[in-house]
């Protein structure tokens, strides 16, 4: 549906010149497709943006909610220095199995801790483990739970850390105050919570590209 749109051609133009083909990333998308996973990984351009953000905050510890086939996880894990760690949470065992193979193919298995289970069940354990705070959190799972995931992200992040939430615009549906769509309600609940949250500074950027019209939220955790 987006194949003939100018923004798809624009994504291709910039990806060709700035993002570059990469065997493990291409293989992760190919195996996700072959295994029948939904084609909802981040775009190459957004994967690289996540990587640049992680590098910009010198991330040593990254948390991802929603692994799918590990495509965004590869981008994020590659931003880590030696000894850094990506913890990524996935509810679907099949998605996790595909992701584990893709991360191994990318040579990243030693840097990535893939945990299977509903994130609201696996997050409390991460807190109990009391590891170092996260420098970057990427929330990209079931949208109804966005506000709960954001609360966890805030609790587990260091001051100055960054939280990114994918898919907050959904073809503009987010602006419909009468929407009954669970994903839209999940985003609106998060945004309305952030309106009164003094501990973060946040903004949203709308995006258009090969995945259509959407957007992401970027928040910085204050001291
Ligand atoms: N970040 C991935 C895409 C994630 S798609 C990428 O860009 O490559 C969303 C993923 O969240 C799916 O794999 C889905 O199974 C997972 N998910 C849905 N509900 C979840 C939950 N409650 N806990 C953890 N993962 C969940
Ligand atoms: C959907 C989920 C995503 O994380 C995404 O980036 C695009 C679409 C979805 O569930 O439709
Ligand atoms: Mg997404």
């Amino acid at each position: 549906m987006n194949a003939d749109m100018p923004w798809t051609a624009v994504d291709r133009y910039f990806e060709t010149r700035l993002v570059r083909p990469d065997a493990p990333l291409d293989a992760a998308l190919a195996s996700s497709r072959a295994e029948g996973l939904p084609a909802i990984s981040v775009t190459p351009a957004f994967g690289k943006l996540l990587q640049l953000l992680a590098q910009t905050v010198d991330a040593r510890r990254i948390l991802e909610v929603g692994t799918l086939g590990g495509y965004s996880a590869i981008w994020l894990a590659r931003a880590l220095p030696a000894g850094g760690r990506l913890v990524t949470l996935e509810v679907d065992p099949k998605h996790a199995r595909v992701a584990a193979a893709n991360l191994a193919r990318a040579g990243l298995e030693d840097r990535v801790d893939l945990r299977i289970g509903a994130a609201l069940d696996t997050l409390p354990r991460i807190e109990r483990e009391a590891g170092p705070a996260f420098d970057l959190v990427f929330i990209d799972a079931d949208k109804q739970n966005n506000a709960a995931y954001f609360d966890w992200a805030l609790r587990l992040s260091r001051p100055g850390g960054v939280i990114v939430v994918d898919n907050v615009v959904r073809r503009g549906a987010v602006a419909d105050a009468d929407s009954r769509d669970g994903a839209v309600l999940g985003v609106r609940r998060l945004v309305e919570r952030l309106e009164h949250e003094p501990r973060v500074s946040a903004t949203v950027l709308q995006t258009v590209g090969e995945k259509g019209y959407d957007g992401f939220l970027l928040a910085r955790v204050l001291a």
Side-chain angles (χ1 to χ4, degrees), residues 38-53:
I40 55 174
S41 307
V42 295
T43 62
F46 192 57
K48 187 156 182 188
L49 176 68
L50 291 171
Q51 183 174 85
L52 290 166
L53 283 171

Side-chain angles (χ1 to χ4, degrees), residues 7-217:
W7 43 83
T8 301
V10 170
D11 258 349
R12 296 276 147 72
Y13 169 74
F14 287 121
E15 284 164 13
T16 302
R17 282 156 186 83
L18 301 179
V19 184
R20 305 210 188 280
D22 175 273
L25 285 168
D26 294 345
L29 291 181
S31 89
S32 296
R33 201 176 315 119
E35 298 273 3
L37 271 50
I40 55 174
S41 307
V42 295
T43 62
F46 192 57
K48 187 156 182 188
L49 176 68
L50 291 171
Q51 183 174 85
L52 290 166
L53 283 171
Q55 290 165 335
T56 300
V57 298
D58 287 326
R60 296 186 57 83
R61 295 251 304 164
I62 301 174
L63 175 64
E64 176 178 67
V65 187
T67 317
L68 192 63
Y71 183 77
S72 53
I74 294 174
W75 279 109
L76 287 166
R78 282 176 170 174
L80 292 166
R85 201 130 190 94
L86 167 69
V87 180
T88 183
L89 311 180
E90 175 54 55
V91 73
D92 187 314
K94 179 178 174 184
H95 296 182
R97 175 174 58 71
V98 173
N102 286 330
L103 289 158
R105 192 189 290 111
L108 294 165
E109 67 268 64
D110 55 332
R111 270 185 250 182
V112 181
D113 180 356
L114 170 57
R115 301 194 180 190
I116 303 173
L120 291 177
D121 295 335
T122 53
L123 283 160
R125 165 137 185 219
I126 292 168
E127 184 174 49
R128 285 199 301 278
E129 288 167 359
F134 290 98
D135 307 291
L136 185 145
V137 181
F138 179 45
I139 298 173
D140 189 21
D142 50 324
K143 315 304 175 192
Q144 315 84 263
N145 285 318
N146 267 341
Y149 296 146
F150 197 96
D151 281 342
W152 275 106
L154 201 46
R155 281 162 74 170
L156 297 171
S157 290
R158 70 158 162 91
V162 162
I163 302 170
V164 180
V165 185
D166 197 19
N167 311 116
V168 298
V169 173
R170 306 309 284 260
R171 297 170 197 265
V174 69
D176 176 5
D178 299 325
S179 176
R180 303 274 178 108
D181 182 294
V184 171
L185 291 170
V187 171
R188 290 179 66 96
R189 195 173 309 123
L190 167 61
V191 170
E192 281 148 35
R193 201 177 120 3
L194 291 180
E195 191 180 346
H196 308 289
E197 176 51 76
R199 291 173 294 171
V200 303
S201 176
T203 190
V204 164
L205 211 62
Q206 302 187 64
T207 57
V208 66
E210 61 200 46
K211 283 179 75 181
Y213 171 33
D214 212 325
F216 65 91
L217 182 142

